[in-house]
Amino acid sequence: MSFKNKQELDIALKIACVKKDFRLKKVINSCSVYCVKCEHLECKWWLRAVKVENSDRFYIKKYEKMHTCGSEHLTSHNPHATAKVIGAYFKDRYPEGKGPSTKDLKNSIRIELGCKVSYWKVWMGSEIAKSLVRGTHEHGYGVIDAYSHMLRTSNPGSKTALKIDENGRFKYFFVAYGAWILGFIQMRKVIAVDGTFLRSKYGGVLLSAVAQDAENHIFPVAFCVVDSECDASYRYFFEQLRSFVLDTPELCIISDRHQSIRKMVSIVFPLAHYGCCMRHLGENIRNNFHNASVVYHFYKAAKAYNIDVFSDHFNRIRDLVPQAATHLERVGFHRWSRAFFPGNSNCCTYFIW
């Protein structure tokens, strides 16, 4: 029996140790020879593997497969059940990098391998299994250039942009598929911008820009992976977006009132109108003032096309909770209400999501 390299041989032996519930002791561990024996002094089990000349492969040369030791010295905590071994054993359970939860995997280890391991070690094993299937995070960052090339080749008209820092490390990565760019030409010129945290080894933030199609379905426009939500990252995102989104008075950009978004919109898209997300503003009012009637009249005022109707509902807000009315005035009516929206009526209809 031969193995691709010494590491593969070592993992295979440790998996066998966990399955058969015995312990190994390395006798020789050199570049060309790998020899192990049973940890029990009186046991005669041993194995010797040597390296194939001019190759990384190892093959088993001598093998005494019968154990002569008893089982009274064994426990349920096998030292060979490391995170690396767990990952190698369960990698087939993670097709495309998705598989059982840590809790389910821990139960599988107890049932199939008959040993107890900590929750942390099981989690580490699952992460190793995923990396064996889909590659490591480091490898993913390393092939971004190749991914960009293949993306543009497979999707003509797509736009990608990669920015690295002075040390050659990843900083920003922008993507807009060709179909998205062509599709946005037919969309209402309303873009919603937001960011969400990435839960991975290196973290970061995913910035996204989306529009609405004729049936009010979300239509993606672009996304960008950045280090954090700040002026520099949003400026880079909007500058890349500017290459195919025209800066016109008909354009409206909506966000959750993040200061960096508002600031960079005024710099990169000076002709566009900046608006606030109605739902986000409504939830802030609900959480801060705890009055359902105020929230009701806020939505009615925000959706009103007529200034008189807007005034009726806004005056009710002022009567109920004056602080809420003051807060909305400070935000600016033209930021969140249709009645005071400065753009054309077609854009006004949909700029509040």
Side-chain angles (χ1 to χ4, degrees):
M1 183 180 293
S2 65
F3 298 86
K4 184 171 61 176
N5 50 45
K6 187 169 69 174
Q7 182 182 8
E8 185 180 88
L9 170 61
D10 183 66
I11 292 294
L13 282 172
K14 288 179 178 177
I15 290 176
C17 287
V18 175
K19 281 185 172 181
K20 302 297 183 181
D21 200 14
F22 65 92
R23 281 74 167 137
L24 288 179
K25 180 179 179 181
K26 292 179 182 179
V27 180
I28 302 175
N29 186 17
S30 65
C31 296
S32 58
V33 179
Y34 186 82
C35 184
V36 293
K37 65 183 293 293
C38 181
E39 188 181 58
H40 198 269
L41 295 176
E42 298 178 359
C43 185
K44 295 182 179 180
W45 184 98
W46 70 288
L47 179 144
R48 179 184 176 89
V50 296
K51 183 180 179 183
V52 178
E53 188 175 358
N54 299 324
S55 173
D56 291 332
R57 300 191 70 85
F58 273 72
Y59 72 96
I60 299 175
K61 190 172 183 180
K62 295 182 179 180
Y63 177 39
E64 177 60 52
K65 62 181 180 180
M66 294 303 295
H67 278 272
T68 57
C69 59
S71 60
E72 63 276 0
H73 62 285
L74 301 178
T75 65
S76 60
H77 296 277
N78 196 311
H80 298 304
T82 63
K84 186 179 292 186
V85 171
I86 292 171
Y89 181 77
F90 287 102
K91 67 178 181 180
D92 293 336
R93 311 282 178 91
Y94 290 88
E96 300 180 359
K98 297 180 180 179
S101 65
T102 305
K103 182 179 179 180
D104 293 337
L105 195 63
K106 187 174 182 180
N107 291 333
S108 298
I109 293 172
R110 179 177 54 82
I111 295 170
E112 297 180 25
L113 302 180
C115 64
K116 297 180 180 179
V117 292
S118 66
Y119 186 91
W120 179 87
K121 187 181 289 186
V122 176
W123 177 83
M124 283 296 298
S126 67
E127 292 297 307
I128 292 173
K130 293 174 187 176
S131 66
L132 290 173
V133 174
R134 65 187 181 190
T136 63
H137 294 283
E138 293 79 6
H139 176 263
Y141 282 104
V143 298
I144 286 181
D145 276 333
Y147 170 76
S148 299
H149 171 72
M150 294 305 298
L151 189 151
R152 293 191 299 269
T153 302
S154 303
N155 302 271
S158 299
K159 176 178 175 57
T160 63
L162 173 64
K163 184 175 182 179
I164 57 178
D165 61 17
E166 60 276 4
N167 298 318
R169 296 178 178 176
F170 174 89
K171 194 170 184 181
Y172 306 137
F173 182 54
F174 176 91
V175 175
Y177 288 94
W180 297 354
I181 296 173
L182 292 175
F184 181 70
I185 298 174
Q186 310 302 325
M187 302 293 161
R188 310 179 187 99
K189 299 304 177 279
V190 184
I191 296 176
V193 177
D194 201 1
T196 184
F197 292 105
L198 295 174
R199 298 178 61 186
S200 63
K201 182 177 179 180
Y202 294 102
V205 176
L206 178 68
L207 307 182
S208 62
V210 299
Q212 272 188 339
D213 63 15
E215 297 181 348
N216 295 334
H217 296 154
I218 292 177
F219 185 86
V221 178
F223 68 86
C224 187
V225 179
V226 300
D227 52 354
S228 63
E229 288 189 274
C230 61
D231 290 355
S233 60
Y234 272 113
R235 178 161 194 155
Y236 179 83
F237 181 54
F238 285 130
E239 285 176 347
Q240 301 304 318
L241 205 61
R242 182 75 171 78
S243 63
F244 59 89
V245 176
L246 298 179
D247 179 25
T248 64
E250 287 75 28
L251 177 65
C252 176
I253 298 177
I254 307 168
S255 80
D256 57 359
R257 297 176 61 223
H258 194 286
Q259 294 296 328
S260 294
I261 299 178
R262 182 169 60 181
K263 182 178 178 181
M264 291 303 113
V265 166
S266 65
I267 294 174
V268 183
F269 290 97
L271 299 180
H273 174 68
Y274 171 75
C276 300
C277 171
M278 177 182 65
R279 183 177 296 276
H280 183 271
L281 192 56
E283 289 304 310
N284 282 349
I285 294 172
R286 185 191 307 276
N287 295 331
N288 293 332
F289 301 104
H290 308 288
N291 191 308
S293 297
V294 170
V295 176
Y296 169 80
H297 287 291
F298 163 75
Y299 282 116
K300 288 293 185 180
K303 295 178 181 180
Y305 291 96
N306 186 282
I307 293 180
D308 292 336
V309 177
F310 169 88
S311 299
D312 290 341
H313 289 288
F314 188 77
N315 288 333
R316 294 293 301 275
I317 295 174
R318 193 189 301 277
D319 294 339
L320 290 168
V321 182
Q323 296 88 341
T326 302
H327 172 69
L328 292 172
E329 287 176 332
R330 191 179 302 114
V331 173
F333 294 158
H334 64 291
R335 300 289 189 200
W336 55 271
S337 70
R338 287 172 174 167
F340 289 88
F341 175 66
N344 61 60
S345 58
N346 183 49
C347 185
C348 168
T349 306
Y350 297 97
F351 96 100
I352 303 173
W353 289 5

